[in-house]
Amino acid sequence: MIRFLLPAILLAGCAPSGIFMITVPYAEGSLDCAESLDENFSDGYEPDGGGGGNDPWTYDSTFVGADAIIFFHISPTGDGAVLTWGNAPYPGVAEGDGWTFSWTTHSESEELSEHEDGYEYNEYSVSDSTVDIHIGQALFAELGGTVSGTSKSETTWEENDEWDMDEIGFGSGQIPSSTYLVYKDSGDLYPQGNDSEEDECDDKLCFITKTEECTQSAQAFNATKVEGNDVLMYNDSYDDSQ
């Protein structure tokens, strides 16, 4: 899951500059996330996937957050501006009714392992996250705007369906099928594993792909400029957000 809390300011036609303080109200339900799972196990399925059976477990979770007080620093950069939140900079450009600061982070990783006797286990991850901050025109030392964001992460695990336990050295697979999938036996549900001598998937390689997509709806904010030496005050306020 991700959290987006940022803001800034601007005078029409001029790059914004200075330190601003904002109180961001906690907005329950502003972050909307959806998870999906794809896999090729023959009998395994997600516990809530409609496969029936008697599952003795029920799951629930709640989260309540508090309002946040944050300091932001904004500096001109030639024909643009940059907003700094903590150690994260967000470049900005002027628009018709203010400024928009935005940045997208992207990462990819893969971990591959292969045994000389044919067994392989692979893990791939891709992640993208975007934050958009729009700031309207300032009125004296006050300004308003919105902050929103999106993120998407995808992780894929792959592993041989069958292998020689004596050659490889273990009989239970590394793929996290027992974390995400179950199978039904005599009306009861059990964690779905990947055993070395069992044909459990539709291909030679078993796979699971987990995807999570989140959208942070636009949150309105009002900010106040803090008077004083920008450098000294920003250094002091760097660790003071809460």
Side-chain angles (χ1 to χ4, degrees):
M1 173 188 319
I2 59 172
R3 294 175 61 81
F4 304 104
L5 294 172
L6 303 106
I9 154 162
L10 184 199
L11 293 174
C14 300
S17 179
I19 297 175
F20 300 86
M21 183 183 73
I22 179 176
T23 300
V24 183
Y26 173 69
E28 184 177 1
S30 62
L31 184 64
D32 181 25
C33 293
E35 292 186 359
S36 61
L37 204 69
D38 188 21
E39 42 82 21
N40 68 343
F41 281 77
S42 302
D43 297 320
Y45 56 88
E46 294 180 78
D48 59 352
N54 302 315
D55 187 357
W57 294 96
T58 58
Y59 303 92
D60 191 18
S61 63
T62 59
F63 177 84
V64 177
D67 295 350
I69 298 177
I70 304 171
F71 293 90
F72 300 90
H73 185 251
I74 307 169
S75 299
T77 58
D79 59 351
V82 60
L83 179 152
T84 305
W85 173 53
N87 60 356
Y90 294 85
V93 295
E95 293 189 338
D97 58 346
W99 284 68
T100 295
F101 298 86
S102 182
W103 188 254
T104 297
T105 58
H106 174 81
S107 64
E108 298 183 27
S109 66
E110 62 178 19
E111 297 181 12
L112 313 177
S113 59
E114 184 174 355
H115 194 277
E116 61 182 12
D117 290 312
Y119 170 84
E120 63 179 280
Y121 174 77
N122 308 318
E123 182 174 336
Y124 309 91
S125 295
V126 179
S127 178
D128 289 278
S129 180
T130 300
V131 174
D132 294 304
I133 309 137
H134 180 74
I135 296 169
Q137 297 181 8
L139 179 62
F140 301 105
E142 306 289 328
L143 70 128
T146 60
V147 56
S148 60
T150 60
S151 68
K152 180 179 180 180
S153 62
E154 183 176 281
T155 302
T156 298
W157 299 271
E158 293 180 341
E159 180 181 48
N160 288 75
D161 188 2
E162 298 178 272
W163 63 91
D164 189 326
M165 180 177 64
D166 294 330
E167 295 291 341
I168 304 304
F170 51 83
S172 297
Q174 303 178 72
I175 193 169
S177 54
S178 60
T179 300
Y180 299 108
L181 305 176
V182 296
Y183 71 93
K184 184 170 62 173
D185 184 16
S186 300
D188 295 320
L189 299 179
Y190 299 92
Q192 173 68 64
N194 183 30
D195 296 325
S196 61
E197 298 181 357
E198 296 291 333
D199 182 9
E200 286 145 328
C201 300
D202 296 333
D203 299 297
K204 292 183 178 180
L205 285 180
C206 298
F207 82 86
I208 297 175
T209 298
K210 180 184 178 182
T211 303
E212 180 181 53
E213 297 184 75
C214 293
T215 300
Q216 173 73 65
S217 58
Q219 291 182 265
F221 61 81
N222 292 302
T224 301
K225 187 172 183 179
V226 179
E227 300 297 334
N229 182 286
D230 280 8
V231 176
L232 294 178
M233 292 190 66
Y234 185 69
N235 289 338
D236 288 340
S237 66
Y238 183 88
D239 295 321
D240 289 344
S241 297
Q242 62 178 331

